[in-house]
Amino acid sequence: MTSRRPVSHTPPSVVSADTIVTSQLEVETPGAGFFDVTADVAAFLREAGATEGTLTLFIRHTSASLTIQENADPSVLDDLATALDRLAPAGGGWTHDTEGPDDMPGHIKSMLTAVSLAIPVLEKRLALGTWQAIYLIEHRSAPHRRQIVLQFCGRTG
Amino acid sequence: MTSRRPVSHTPPSVVSADTIVTSQLEVETPGAGFFDVTADVAAFLREAGATEGTLTLFIRHTSASLTIQENADPSVLDDLATALDRLAPAGGGWTHDTEGPDDMPGHIKSMLTAVSLAIPVLEKRLALGTWQAIYLIEHRSAPHRRQIVLQFCGRTG
Amino acid sequence: MTSRRPVSHTPPSVVSADTIVTSQLEVETPGAGFFDVTADVAAFLREAGATEGTLTLFIRHTSASLTIQENADPSVLDDLATALDRLAPAGGGWTHDTEGPDDMPGHIKSMLTAVSLAIPVLEKRLALGTWQAIYLIEHRSAPHRRQIVLQFCGRTG
């Protein structure tokens, strides 16, 4: 630890919050995996004319979920999938198994990751870090049609 | 993958964001388990006259938490509890044990699930998927009185 | 279960949502650990003149993350670190290892905790529970400079 206080912050930016813009993204997943929806979310913000405010993402499912993760090396996504498989194994002796061996692990993985995310929008852009992308995680083996509600609250135009 | 772009979205809905309505839900839990608070949250939105906007839920505790999960088959909730017990076992050799063997696992389970959720409200309703319900997860064995702050930001009336 | 409905709520508070205030917190971490940023977040709200609304925190990294946890006994944080190490061990046989053995576990720990948090602000204060503090979790062994975007949406002045 340095003696200097290791926390600092930028001067606040202030705008009127005037508008809520909502849309639903529909994503067809071919089976389990991580699907980058960052460009689709950015397109919604452009269409909405979003300038500054908060974007909420909400996935309307319990065996698919959201995460923000590294977009550079695809092996990160492979390892994240491995980690989730270890934490919620298909052969885990689950009692809920009528919908197949990948269903209950999907619910557990959803609980351990995110159903909703809130991302600030600044200067018309998502305030993501350099290496961050927004992923839909499909936990089921079969193809699914997934819905994510996108809702921007803030200043537009 | 199909050659067609597997992502589409609905035309955006735009409203003025004018109002914040806040209330605190108090839930008496009889001990560990999942407690469906969806109807209580919906009642708050009706009382608030919420039309379109974002609902934030925030639980004011560190050994109880929030999740959105399947509301159809109760065995899903049993398996979710089993999964959390495996990830944060009571006999895990934790150093923080003054408040009983269920306390530290409760903190870990809280960290792995959600302290806050953001859910869009559309056409006066929570934009939950067909099978989604909002659960308070009580991680402690004894009964507790838990507080969830509900805050709607958006259009009312 | 008592026969009485175990859920109650306070009368809603209603204010106009008029302003969004945004700032970026920069935190220099000396290496892995939990760093309490609650006072810094509270200082931002004071500077913003925040009265009532929702604060969003968003961390712009994929190997550092956010959580809200107990602020009383430091052994809780030690055990939380132990739990994360068990769930995402350094020697886990990960394929992504070019950035060191602590990198891939850091991504997994980030996925299992939070990249964004939403906290209501009431009567000019964070609606945290008595024992809750906001922590940045640094998952990397080396010192890092981390950025958290703070965005208040609601009533000011």
Side-chain angles (χ1 to χ4, degrees):
Chain A
M1 281 284 202
T2 55
S3 58
R4 183 166 60 86
R5 184 90 181 81
V7 182
S8 65
H9 73 273
T10 58
S13 149
V14 184
V15 299
S16 323
D18 51 4
T19 309
I20 291 178
V21 188
T22 311
S23 181
Q24 186 167 288
L25 208 62
E26 202 155 278
V27 183
E28 294 172 39
T29 61
F34 287 67
F35 301 93
D36 187 339
V37 296
T38 316
D40 306 287
V41 172
F44 160 73
L45 291 173
R46 272 196 306 278
E47 189 178 350
T51 305
E52 186 161 334
T54 308
L55 176 75
T56 297
L57 294 93
F58 180 80
I59 190 162
R60 304 181 69 216
H61 305 279
T62 61
S63 58
S65 58
L66 300 171
T67 195
I68 290 182
Q69 272 293 335
E70 185 183 299
N71 58 6
D73 181 351
S75 69
V76 169
L77 303 179
D78 294 339
D79 284 341
L80 292 175
T82 300
L84 287 174
D85 283 341
R86 291 180 186 172
L87 298 173
W94 315 112
T95 59
H96 176 80
D97 57 7
T98 48
E99 294 172 61
D102 60 328
D103 182 53
M104 193 58 224
H107 293 309
I108 299 165
K109 293 170 184 177
S110 290
M111 179 176 63
L112 298 176
T113 53
V115 69
S116 71
L117 295 172
I119 310 175
V121 174
L122 296 170
E123 297 175 358
K124 305 191 178 184
R125 300 170 82 92
L126 289 163
L128 294 172
T130 313
W131 308 108
Q132 287 183 313
I134 309 165
Y135 292 94
L136 182 160
I137 323 178
E138 174 60 71
H139 301 302
R140 303 301 306 272
S141 307
H144 278 75
R145 184 180 287 260
R146 302 300 196 176
Q147 299 171 333
I148 302 171
V149 180
L150 304 178
Q151 190 165 58
F152 172 75
C153 177
R155 186 149 188 91
T156 57
Chain B
M1 282 282 201
T2 54
S3 57
R4 185 166 60 86
R5 185 91 179 80
V7 183
S8 64
H9 73 273
T10 59
S13 149
V14 184
V15 299
S16 324
D18 51 4
T19 309
I20 290 178
V21 188
T22 311
S23 181
Q24 187 168 286
L25 208 63
E26 202 156 279
V27 183
E28 294 173 38
T29 61
F34 286 68
F35 301 94
D36 187 338
V37 296
T38 316
D40 306 287
V41 173
F44 160 73
L45 291 174
R46 274 196 305 278
E47 189 179 349
T51 305
E52 185 161 335
T54 308
L55 176 75
T56 297
L57 295 94
F58 179 81
I59 190 162
R60 303 181 70 216
H61 306 279
T62 62
S63 58
S65 58
L66 301 171
T67 195
I68 290 182
Q69 271 294 332
E70 184 182 301
N71 58 6
D73 182 351
S75 69
V76 169
L77 303 178
D78 294 339
D79 285 342
L80 292 175
T82 300
L84 288 173
D85 284 341
R86 291 181 186 171
L87 298 174
W94 314 113
T95 60
H96 176 80
D97 57 5
T98 49
E99 294 171 61
D102 60 328
D103 182 53
M104 194 58 224
H107 293 310
I108 299 166
K109 293 170 185 178
S110 290
M111 178 176 63
L112 298 177
T113 54
V115 69
S116 70
L117 294 173
I119 310 176
V121 175
L122 296 170
E123 297 175 357
K124 304 189 179 186
R125 301 171 82 91
L126 290 163
L128 295 172
T130 313
W131 308 109
Q132 286 183 313
I134 309 166
Y135 292 95
L136 181 160
I137 323 178
E138 175 60 72
H139 302 302
R140 302 301 306 269
S141 307
H144 279 76
R145 185 179 288 259
R146 301 302 195 175
Q147 298 171 332
I148 302 171
V149 180
L150 304 178
Q151 190 166 56
F152 172 75
C153 177
R155 185 149 191 92
T156 57
Chain C
M1 282 284 203
T2 55
S3 57
R4 184 166 60 86
R5 185 89 179 80
V7 183
S8 65
H9 73 273
T10 58
S13 149
V14 184
V15 299
S16 324
D18 51 4
T19 309
I20 291 178
V21 188
T22 311
S23 180
Q24 187 168 286
L25 209 62
E26 202 155 279
V27 183
E28 294 172 39
T29 61
F34 286 68
F35 301 93
D36 188 339
V37 296
T38 316
D40 306 286
V41 173
F44 160 72
L45 291 173
R46 273 196 307 278
E47 189 180 348
T51 304
E52 184 161 335
T54 308
L55 176 75
T56 297
L57 295 93
F58 179 81
I59 190 162
R60 305 181 69 218
H61 306 279
T62 61
S63 59
S65 58
L66 301 171
T67 195
I68 290 182
Q69 272 293 333
E70 186 183 298
N71 57 6
D73 182 351
S75 69
V76 169
L77 303 178
D78 293 340
D79 284 341
L80 292 175
T82 301
L84 288 173
D85 283 341
R86 291 181 186 173
L87 298 174
W94 314 112
T95 59
H96 176 81
D97 58 6
T98 48
E99 293 172 62
D102 60 329
D103 181 54
M104 193 58 224
H107 293 309
I108 299 166
K109 294 169 184 178
S110 290
M111 178 175 64
L112 298 177
T113 54
V115 69
S116 70
L117 295 172
I119 309 175
V121 174
L122 295 170
E123 296 174 358
K124 304 190 179 184
R125 299 172 83 92
L126 290 163
L128 293 172
T130 312
W131 308 108
Q132 287 183 313
I134 310 166
Y135 292 95
L136 182 160
I137 323 178
E138 174 60 71
H139 301 301
R140 303 300 307 271
S141 308
H144 279 77
R145 184 179 288 261
R146 301 301 196 174
Q147 299 171 333
I148 302 172
V149 180
L150 305 178
Q151 190 165 57
F152 172 75
C153 176
R155 186 149 189 91
T156 57

